[in-house]
Amino acid sequence: MTNLLERILPTVQKPARYVGGEYNQIVKKKEDVRVRVAFCFPDTYELGMSNVGMRILYGVMNEMPQVWCERVFAPWGDMEEAMRKHCLPLWALEIQDPEKEFDMIAFTVGYEMSYTNILNMLQLSGVPLRAADRDGLKNLVFAGGACVYNPEPLADFVDLFSLGEGEEITVEILSLYDRAKQEGWEKARFLRAAADIPGVYVPSLYVHHYNEDGTLQKIEPLDGVPAVVTKRIVQDLDKAYFPTKQIVPSTEIVHDRSNLELFRGCIRGCRFCQAGFCYRPIRSKSPDVLCEQAEACLEDSGNHEITLASLSSSDYRHLEPLTNRIIDYCTPRKINLSLPSLRADNFSRELMMKLQKVRKSGLTFAPEAGTQRLRDVINKNVTEEEILTTCATAFSGGWNNVKLYFMLGLPTETDEDVLGIAELVYKIIGVWKETAGNKKRGLSINLSTAYFVPKPFTPFQWVQQITPEEYMRRVWLLKSAIKSKSVDYRYHGSDLSRLEAVLARGDRRLGAVMEKAVEFGARLDGWDEYFENDAWMRAFDACGVDPAFYCREYGLDEVLPWDSISVGVSRRFFQKEYEKACRGEVTKDCRQGCNGCGANCLGKEGKCDE
Amino acid sequence: MNRLLFEKRGDAVWISHLDLMRVFQRAFRRAGFLLKHTGGFNQHAYVSLALPLSVGTESGCEIMDFELEETFVPENLCERLNAALPAGVRVLEVYESAAKLKELTHLHAQVVLEYDGGFSDETEQALKELFDRAELPVEKKTKKGMATVDIRPMIRFLKVERISGTELLLDAVVCAQNPSLNPAQLVNAIETHLPACRPDFSLCRRIEVLREDSTPFR
């Protein structure tokens, strides 16, 4: 008889994402391993398989002979419905074993709006949601990723957090677990021992005390655990583990190509950008290593596209020789090279033309703010002149399509700044009229505005998020100022970004809210077709928690929920940057002189960007 | 024309038609061969699958045409491709063929009907009689909505066999092109005309692609 899953598969969209079996998937013998890890990505297969971190860590864990790491993704709504109807528990793809059978359950968390997927996936697996309800070592839940620098909203559900880059710390956590399992440790003993691994944060060993006004009074570490846990980094990226044999999905994913990191960290210091601070210090891969890895990845995967990714690719010191070498390899093989995150200031015509040889990609700018004054406030060091010059180059080179990204609700923003966005758009239209070689196809500008979300570990971590009403007023102000048919204006919905702000700077009291929200049907919140603000609002009501509390301005001397975590950049530096922002002063990039953020102390001998 | 015969089984049956083309495009590169690319603005490798296979259907007789950048096809292409393909997709033969795809007229297909609680002799008999009818109209989704189509003329041969106490097999030769009959329509016919004999689950597989004279198409 055909099994239940195979009977369900013909009834759901894109069934290939549920069965594994891809080229390079890793299958070991159960009897050969001692620790099985269900590595969960709390969103769809298409997104998860596009995640570079997940691919690296899948390799890292499976390199350990005693460990077998298998993948789990969130089911799409149709599959979830079928699973619930037929009581089919969530499985890992490799040999389709239920998640509940695994020793450890790992989550990589990159986005606040995937929190409910974590809870939903545990629930679909039949694993108790709350860490306190999971007694033994079995089903130990741990989490890492860019989002867990403020782990508190997830503190009730996750046994331990792994902070920072996972190449080394993951091995240490798994090795300790292996020993604990073999020696039959109690869970508490394992957690206490894990807390001694640098970069491991065990939330149950920290007690949060609140003031009467709801703010935090103090965070009390128990049993001698460190008061502050500092994130981990890899010292030498050239020597760091990188998998050149990667899974090649049999179905289309979001980033369907090979991905290489040029460097980690960022020299720019845009004040709204969490990644820009959390990934410091700056460490690069050498061009030789990158070329070697690029060729190995492309040959092993058969991909016909490769992306050189980083937070700001133009800041890679050897960008030109590197791209020349990679283009020489790619062109005869009809492989496309894409280079996202190029800056407008040194986006050379030459590089643009070179990339165009294989395939013409889009032109995207993220000025983030409409006026120079506000760009100075957020330290986004791109000038109007640079944008217009780059546009002129692109238009005369045959581009007719520009994407522009802005934020509304940035600190100190006025109506003049909002209207400045429209002015910049019209200047770009003017440049196109002057410089476009072929006007027949017309110009198309995709303009997009996001609702600013203050994030922990940025100079704006204290600022309030403007109200949804005020955000929508600014959206309409901008909308009314743009009449051109060349412009397609899209803006982020206010409900989602409001919630993102709550979760980003939230504390432990949100655990109960999330649990309720999931009970009321919240999951796949990042997807328009599933996001249900009502479920969330009912959950806040039911728990007596006011979401506005987390969107307010936080006091500079307030105890912050994420104070027991350090990303290496000092709180003093963030505060100094915040004060400079208020005065409209820019901070020069790190190459023009060290600004003393503190992240260099994470590197060997205090070095950064060498 | 360079052609290959391959099978698609196991979990690979869930790979869609479009995705399968991508799978092959990558597998050729992994095996060290570059497919000929189309010209134009968005260059892409050219492969052509003879008869699109429904998602979920197993097949032992898929035909794909391809062209390499190189002028000759190396002898070990088959082995090298198989080392580069995901589990379940396996190339059986690589060859040159002058046979035009329009000569592929029929399909030998099987449908397994699963009756979880078993089936009666009457059910088996009713099915046999159903496919002996002179007409078999079924409702079919078309571009313009639902339409009634008589599928009987598209069935060249059909035998009902008992596999086990819970499984019946429809072994059939049906039209493959102009018009084509998706074997799943055989189940549709049962559901339409014999609702009491509706199986709990059914599963189709392709056995062989045939010419008009019932010899295998290659």
Side-chain angles (χ1 to χ4, degrees):
Chain A
M1 197 176 104
T2 305
N3 73 30
L4 183 56
L5 174 59
E6 285 180 338
R7 285 188 175 196
I8 290 173
L9 286 169
T11 66
V12 299
Q13 288 176 52
K14 303 185 193 167
R17 57 187 162 176
Y18 300 114
V19 296
E22 310 94 321
Y23 183 73
N24 276 344
Q25 101 168 353
I26 291 170
V27 174
K28 298 187 180 183
K29 284 198 190 116
K30 284 189 211 181
E31 57 272 24
D32 291 350
V33 296
R34 294 193 296 267
V35 179
R36 284 180 80 188
V37 183
F39 192 9
C40 307
F41 186 87
D43 212 307
T44 63
Y45 176 88
E46 291 85 332
L47 279 171
M49 286 308 295
S50 303
N51 185 284
V52 179
M54 186 167 192
R55 284 172 175 271
I56 293 174
L57 294 179
Y58 181 75
V60 164
M61 291 192 248
N62 279 316
E63 285 281 298
M64 299 175 74
Q66 74 277 32
V67 172
W68 183 12
C69 168
E70 298 161 66
R71 297 160 297 151
V72 186
F73 299 93
W76 193 241
D78 56 354
M79 176 55 100
E80 184 190 331
E81 199 183 316
M83 288 164 65
R84 290 191 186 279
K85 187 171 155 198
H86 299 285
C87 298
L88 177 66
L90 188 62
W91 62 95
L93 299 192
E94 273 66 12
I95 55 167
Q96 294 160 22
D97 269 353
E99 174 166 289
K100 200 176 166 47
E101 288 178 13
F102 285 71
D103 298 300
M104 304 180 85
I105 298 173
F107 282 94
T108 175
V109 195
Y111 180 35
E112 288 85 356
M113 300 321 292
S114 65
Y115 287 171
T116 50
N117 292 340
I118 297 175
L119 272 62
N120 202 38
M121 286 168 79
L122 289 175
Q123 203 179 66
L124 283 169
S125 306
V127 173
L129 291 188
R130 289 183 172 263
D133 297 336
R134 296 186 299 264
D135 291 332
L137 285 178
K138 186 96 177 166
N139 292 160
L140 187 109
V141 177
F142 70 113
C147 232
V148 303
Y149 291 119
N150 176 18
E152 297 311 327
L154 293 170
D156 290 347
F157 314 107
V158 174
D159 292 300
L160 69 89
F161 290 93
S162 162
L163 302 172
E165 296 165 5
E167 282 95 338
E168 292 162 5
I169 186 175
T170 311
V171 176
E172 294 163 28
I173 295 169
L174 265 54
S175 301
L176 182 70
Y177 184 92
D178 181 26
R179 186 180 153 208
K181 188 185 169 190
Q182 286 189 75
E183 296 177 4
W185 292 10
E186 302 264 296
K187 183 176 174 181
R189 183 178 167 198
F190 168 76
L191 288 176
R192 181 59 194 84
D196 285 335
I197 299 174
V200 167
Y201 173 69
V202 178
S204 56
L205 296 176
Y206 297 79
V207 181
H208 283 209
H209 299 276
Y210 298 96
N211 293 312
E212 266 179 28
D213 65 359
T215 56
L216 269 174
Q217 185 192 42
K218 65 168 182 177
I219 300 173
E220 181 191 359
L222 303 177
D223 203 9
V225 295
V228 175
V229 179
T230 303
K231 75 155 193 226
R232 289 284 290 273
I233 61 162
V234 169
Q235 296 290 346
D236 185 346
L237 281 186
D238 278 346
K239 294 193 186 119
Y241 172 81
F242 181 78
T244 46
K245 280 183 83 65
Q246 296 187 12
I247 291 173
V248 184
S250 301
T251 183
E252 199 169 7
I253 57 170
V254 179
H255 297 308
D256 209 356
R257 56 199 177 217
S258 294
N259 276 291
L260 282 184
E261 291 172 281
L262 294 171
F263 61 97
R264 291 185 186 163
C266 187
I267 63 166
R268 294 287 157 180
C270 302
R271 290 173 180 138
F272 54 84
C273 180
Q274 193 182 36
F277 295 102
C278 288
Y279 293 158
R280 290 182 180 198
I282 293 143
R283 290 142 299 143
S284 302
K285 276 191 187 178
S286 69
D288 286 346
V289 168
L290 283 165
C291 282
E292 216 174 275
Q293 292 179 346
E295 288 180 26
C297 277
L298 287 166
E299 263 159 41
D300 186 72
S301 65
N303 282 335
H304 51 81
E305 186 170 349
I306 182 162
T307 295
L308 300 178
S310 62
L311 292 173
S312 174
S313 305
S314 309
D315 293 328
Y316 182 62
R317 290 187 198 265
H318 320 283
L319 190 62
E320 198 179 343
L322 174 72
T323 46
N324 283 341
R325 280 169 72 179
I326 293 186
I327 286 170
D328 285 346
Y329 174 84
C330 289
T331 308
R333 292 169 179 82
K334 302 193 191 295
I335 294 168
N336 302 318
L337 167 66
S338 61
L339 256 177
S341 307
L342 283 173
R343 289 179 63 85
D345 47 3
N346 48 13
F347 185 106
S348 69
R349 185 189 171 102
E350 206 185 325
L351 187 52
M352 239 162 42
M353 291 305 175
K354 257 189 253 161
L355 294 176
Q356 197 189 346
K357 256 197 239 165
V358 188
R359 192 178 198 165
K360 191 182 268 187
S361 57
L363 189 62
T364 304
F365 295 106
E368 309 294 0
T371 60
Q372 196 55 48
R373 185 201 69 81
L374 191 53
R375 283 195 293 273
D376 287 348
V377 168
I378 63 174
N379 206 40
K380 179 88 192 185
N381 298 320
V382 55
T383 65
E384 184 175 292
E385 194 197 336
E386 284 161 352
I387 293 169
L388 296 179
T389 311
T390 309
C391 280
T393 311
F395 294 150
S396 58
W399 268 263
N400 289 302
N401 195 325
V402 186
K403 282 185 195 153
L404 294 169
Y405 292 102
F406 291 92
M407 281 189 267
L408 293 177
L410 286 163
T412 77
E413 184 179 67
T414 63
D415 285 0
E416 196 184 322
D417 298 309
V418 176
L419 294 169
I421 296 174
E423 274 170 47
L424 183 58
V425 168
Y426 275 99
K427 280 180 189 160
I428 291 173
I429 295 174
V431 169
W432 180 80
K433 283 181 183 154
E434 276 169 36
T435 56
N438 181 2
K439 294 199 182 60
K440 272 184 197 152
R441 284 206 188 126
L443 169 68
S444 146
I445 295 179
N446 295 300
L447 170 66
S448 168
T449 59
Y451 178 4
F452 172 65
V453 176
K455 294 270 166 118
F457 299 108
T458 65
F460 293 155
Q461 63 180 351
W462 294 277
V463 309
Q464 70 153 336
Q465 187 189 41
I466 60 168
T467 64
E469 296 73 29
E470 174 58 17
Y471 166 70
M472 286 314 294
R473 189 191 67 79
R474 295 184 197 182
V475 165
W476 286 102
L477 179 68
L478 177 58
K479 212 177 162 79
S480 63
I482 295 172
K483 300 272 187 291
S484 168
K485 278 183 188 157
S486 303
V487 184
D488 181 23
Y489 174 39
R490 302 277 164 97
Y491 54 90
H492 288 196
S494 60
D495 291 340
L496 192 72
S497 304
R498 186 74 171 164
L499 208 46
E500 189 184 328
V502 172
L503 295 172
R505 297 193 298 170
D507 55 30
R508 292 189 176 183
R509 288 169 294 190
L510 294 178
V513 177
M514 282 197 288
E515 210 173 3
K516 267 276 179 259
V518 171
E519 192 187 312
F520 293 151
R523 82 273 192 257
L524 297 170
D525 292 319
W527 298 86
D528 280 347
E529 50 270 70
Y530 286 106
F531 177 58
E532 273 189 66
N533 199 48
D534 276 359
W536 277 98
M537 292 308 126
R538 281 170 57 209
F540 281 115
D541 263 359
C543 298
V545 172
D546 179 10
F549 177 79
Y550 300 98
C551 301
R552 73 191 158 90
E553 183 172 347
Y554 287 41
L556 285 173
D557 50 3
E558 196 177 321
V559 177
L560 301 169
W562 52 95
D563 270 352
S564 29
I565 309 290
S566 166
V567 298
V569 179
S570 70
R571 183 165 169 159
R572 202 184 57 231
F573 178 79
F574 286 134
Q575 187 168 341
K576 209 172 74 190
E577 278 295 296
Y578 176 44
E579 284 157 2
K580 281 174 90 176
C582 295
R583 297 194 299 267
E585 278 173 37
V586 300
T587 295
K588 285 185 179 149
D589 73 63
C590 301
R591 293 228 169 109
Q592 298 184 51
C594 177
N595 295 302
C597 74
N600 59 323
C601 297
L602 298 173
K604 275 200 187 104
E605 294 153 25
K607 284 179 183 163
C608 172
D609 193 28
E610 284 188 353
Chain B
M1 183 61 79
N2 297 316
R3 187 162 284 170
L4 54 83
L5 176 74
F6 67 97
E7 58 177 25
K8 192 172 170 232
R9 301 186 193 278
D11 285 334
V13 303
W14 306 109
I15 303 173
S16 72
H17 176 69
L18 281 177
D19 283 338
L20 188 64
M21 296 211 273
R22 296 173 51 266
V23 165
F24 268 106
Q25 285 164 3
R26 283 173 165 76
F28 270 96
R29 282 182 182 272
R30 287 199 284 270
F33 303 104
L34 192 55
L35 288 163
K36 211 174 206 99
H37 278 58
T38 59
F41 193 67
N42 281 331
Q43 295 203 356
H44 62 271
Y46 178 77
V47 289
S48 169
L49 288 160
L51 292 180
L53 183 66
S54 301
V55 173
T57 303
E58 179 183 293
S59 174
C61 59
E62 293 303 289
I63 299 271
M64 191 186 87
D65 290 345
F66 65 96
E67 270 185 86
L68 294 182
E69 286 281 336
E70 297 161 60
T71 43
F72 67 96
V73 176
E75 269 180 29
N76 61 355
L77 179 64
C78 187
E79 295 84 71
R80 281 166 73 176
L81 272 177
N82 281 333
L85 281 162
V89 183
R90 201 165 65 93
V91 178
L92 304 171
E93 210 182 318
V94 181
Y95 55 96
E96 264 193 79
S97 174
K100 294 207 168 73
L101 284 180
K102 67 175 181 193
E103 294 166 28
L104 191 176
T105 56
H106 287 81
L107 190 65
H108 178 195
Q110 291 180 340
V111 183
V112 179
L113 308 173
E114 297 185 359
Y115 296 92
D116 295 348
F119 56 87
S120 62
D121 293 343
E122 290 74 38
T123 296
E124 192 180 343
Q125 193 53 39
L127 288 183
K128 284 178 177 164
E129 284 165 16
L130 175 72
F131 292 105
D132 277 341
R133 291 185 192 175
E135 283 180 356
L136 260 186
V138 295
E139 290 272 299
K140 209 179 144 183
K141 228 190 264 172
T142 67
K143 280 174 193 159
K144 288 181 190 161
M146 297 304 281
T148 305
V149 184
D150 180 13
I151 64 166
R152 190 62 194 85
M154 290 181 261
I155 305 173
R156 180 183 269 193
F157 166 88
L158 191 143
K159 200 167 72 184
V160 181
E161 275 175 52
R162 181 187 287 247
I163 307 176
S164 68
T166 55
E167 290 166 308
L168 280 170
L169 181 79
L170 305 179
D171 193 47
V173 174
V174 299
C175 286
Q177 297 194 82
N178 305 316
S180 67
L181 177 66
N182 183 339
Q185 289 296 337
L186 300 173
V187 183
N188 189 1
I190 298 171
E191 286 168 355
T192 308
H193 299 284
L194 299 172
C197 300
R198 178 198 183 106
D200 294 294
F201 187 73
S202 64
L203 146 124
C204 302
R205 50 179 179 247
R206 280 182 183 172
I207 305 296
E208 187 55 281
V209 281
L210 303 170
R211 298 167 173 278
E212 184 60 46
D213 64 3
S214 294
T215 57
F217 173 88
R218 285 296 178 267

